Amino acid sequence: MSSSEDHGYRLLTDYANGFMVSQVLFAACELGVFDLLSEAPGPLAVAAVAAGVGASYHAMERLLDACVSLKLLTVETRGGQAFYGNTEMSRVYLSRVSPTSQCSMLLYMARTTYHCWGRLAQAVREGKNQYLQTFGVPAEDLFTAIYRSEGERVQFMQALREVWSVNGRSVLTAFDLSLFPLVCDLGGGAGALARQCLCLYPGCHVTVFDLPEVVRTAKQHFPLPEEEQVGFQEGDFFKDRLPEADLYILARILHDWADGRCSQLLERVYRSCKPGGGILVIESLLDEDRRGPLLTQLYSLNMLVQTEGQERTPSHFHALLSSAGFRDFQFKKTGAIYDAILARK
């Protein structure tokens, strides 16, 4: 093969084997490898890691070595024996004791997202999500499918808490939100973004509006210390009266829904919003030509296999918000995964 053919084949092989990389990460996370190493006084030998998580010695050795090549673990050799430890990335993002741990999101991806993606070709043929075929759960009521058990609901809510532990600050500081003392976080789950909002704008009061079962789970599993400034209200934002607010936050909400449903929700928000108030939309924005970023393109395919929606360009959001009555449209690319859009009534 010529050098260009060789490069092309290697690239193809990397793409084809990409799922194996994901599974190495998922398996090490599920087994508790990073947690065990974070609690240890120093690097551990294979036997200690295998015994600590209840795994096969020989299988664990292969997993640990793959993690080293992926820069998830370090390895040092002493007396002919390998000793493994966490890298800085693993300490920050893969150990459950870290405030920026992403373990629950990774496990949600392993147990739910990964299985839906196994039916991507069928999703493209049909143009709809694959919950029924994958889990036997009807997907007409989207979040009944996503929250198909109490355990799944807790897992997903914890996963979103982890997302905002890393991404919350960048989207909430993209614009000066101190002008909006009364905030409503629609579909705010466990209140993770509300908590970030309070840290950045201590004078605000945030109402988290979400489905009754989500609010009950939030109060039971994710109690917030700032109860006097964060309130929870039960309701369906497509059907029930929305709390009055100066600012409505829709974070990772509109990407779940087709344009018609988005317009329906935005019109309801506009009617509830105080004059001079605003709406903050937090999503991963596609470039205007839709040729990137790659991660956002992949997220849009994820919306196909898991929801009714898609990722969108700034101009697409502008059209949706304008048709609902909002004006003074602004957007900012944060340089992180999620971007911010602000519009006013």
Side-chain angles (χ1 to χ4, degrees):
M1 283 190 287
S2 67
S3 59
S4 61
E5 290 172 333
D6 183 59
H7 173 74
Y9 183 76
R10 286 178 179 274
L11 190 61
L12 178 65
T13 303
D14 287 343
Y15 291 165
N17 293 334
F19 75 96
M20 299 182 191
V21 175
S22 297
Q23 287 291 1
V24 167
L25 174 59
F26 296 159
C29 194
E30 181 175 331
L31 289 166
V33 170
F34 307 111
D35 296 325
L36 179 69
L37 292 172
S38 71
E39 296 164 1
L44 297 179
V46 176
V49 177
V53 303
S56 157
Y57 175 96
H58 297 292
M60 180 55 68
E61 185 175 40
R62 297 183 210 179
L63 182 65
L64 294 177
D65 286 340
C67 285
V68 170
S69 293
L70 292 171
K71 296 181 172 54
L72 300 174
L73 296 178
T74 61
V75 65
E76 57 184 85
T77 303
R78 299 196 302 264
Q81 189 174 17
F83 291 84
Y84 299 86
N86 283 329
T87 61
E88 181 63 20
M89 178 178 69
S90 297
R91 282 192 290 272
V92 172
Y93 297 118
L94 299 177
S95 169
R96 291 181 189 275
V97 298
S98 169
T100 52
S101 170
Q102 301 296 297
C103 286
S104 291
M105 177 54 81
L106 291 172
L107 292 177
Y108 170 77
M109 293 176 72
R111 296 167 183 172
T112 297
T113 307
Y114 187 86
H115 294 289
C116 290
W117 272 74
R119 298 189 59 84
L120 176 61
Q122 191 64 19
V124 172
R125 288 190 191 100
E126 298 174 356
K128 63 182 183 181
N129 72 56
Q130 297 295 298
Y131 271 106
L132 179 61
Q133 297 85 344
T134 307
F135 299 109
V137 178
E140 286 75 19
D141 188 350
L142 179 60
F143 278 87
T144 298
I146 292 176
Y147 296 149
R148 59 191 181 277
S149 71
E150 175 70 11
E152 285 290 327
R153 183 161 55 247
V154 172
Q155 179 90 61
F156 186 70
M157 291 171 68
Q158 174 61 25
L160 290 182
R161 290 180 83 218
E162 294 176 350
V163 166
W164 300 128
S165 74
V166 175
N167 296 285
R169 175 173 287 271
S170 62
V171 292
L172 292 175
T173 57
F175 303 100
D176 179 9
L177 304 181
S178 63
L179 304 172
F180 307 107
L182 189 60
V183 179
C184 179
D185 186 4
L186 294 175
L193 204 57
R195 188 173 185 176
Q196 291 271 343
C197 201
L198 282 182
C199 291
L200 295 165
Y201 306 100
C204 74
H205 184 282
V206 186
T207 299
V208 177
F209 187 87
D210 215 318
L211 297 169
E213 60 269 27
V214 173
V215 171
R216 289 194 294 270
T217 300
K219 290 179 176 179
Q220 179 181 354
H221 294 277
F222 309 106
L224 294 176
E226 304 90 351
E227 289 185 7
E228 69 281 358
Q229 285 183 265
V230 177
F232 285 85
Q233 184 172 327
E234 299 178 3
D236 181 332
F237 50 50
F238 283 115
K239 300 175 183 177
D240 299 318
R241 183 176 178 177
L242 304 180
E244 190 177 68
D246 301 302
L247 179 73
Y248 292 87
I249 297 177
L250 281 77
R252 289 178 39 125
I253 299 295
L254 297 179
H255 74 171
D256 289 332
W257 306 100
D259 282 359
R261 295 281 268 169
C262 289
S263 293
Q264 180 187 349
L265 176 56
L266 291 172
E267 287 166 8
R268 300 191 86 239
V269 172
Y270 184 82
R271 289 195 297 268
S272 299
C273 188
K274 292 181 177 182
I279 182 171
L280 181 71
V281 175
I282 298 168
E283 297 285 2
S284 185
L285 292 175
L286 283 167
D287 295 338
E288 285 296 347
D289 62 5
R290 306 182 68 84
R291 297 291 177 257
L294 173 60
L295 182 60
T296 309
Q297 292 171 323
L298 295 175
Y299 282 176
S300 201
L301 284 171
N302 191 53
M303 295 301 100
L304 170 65
V305 297
Q306 285 201 263
T307 74
E308 299 175 8
Q310 61 179 312
E311 306 298 350
R312 297 174 171 91
T313 64
S315 61
H316 195 160
F317 278 114
H318 190 186
L320 288 171
L321 287 160
S322 296
S323 67
F326 288 100
R327 56 180 176 78
D328 298 336
F329 176 93
Q330 305 173 69
F331 78 92
K332 285 193 179 177
K333 291 265 193 173
T334 65
I337 295 174
Y338 295 102
D339 306 303
I341 294 169
L342 181 66
R344 305 292 289 269
K345 179 173 179 178

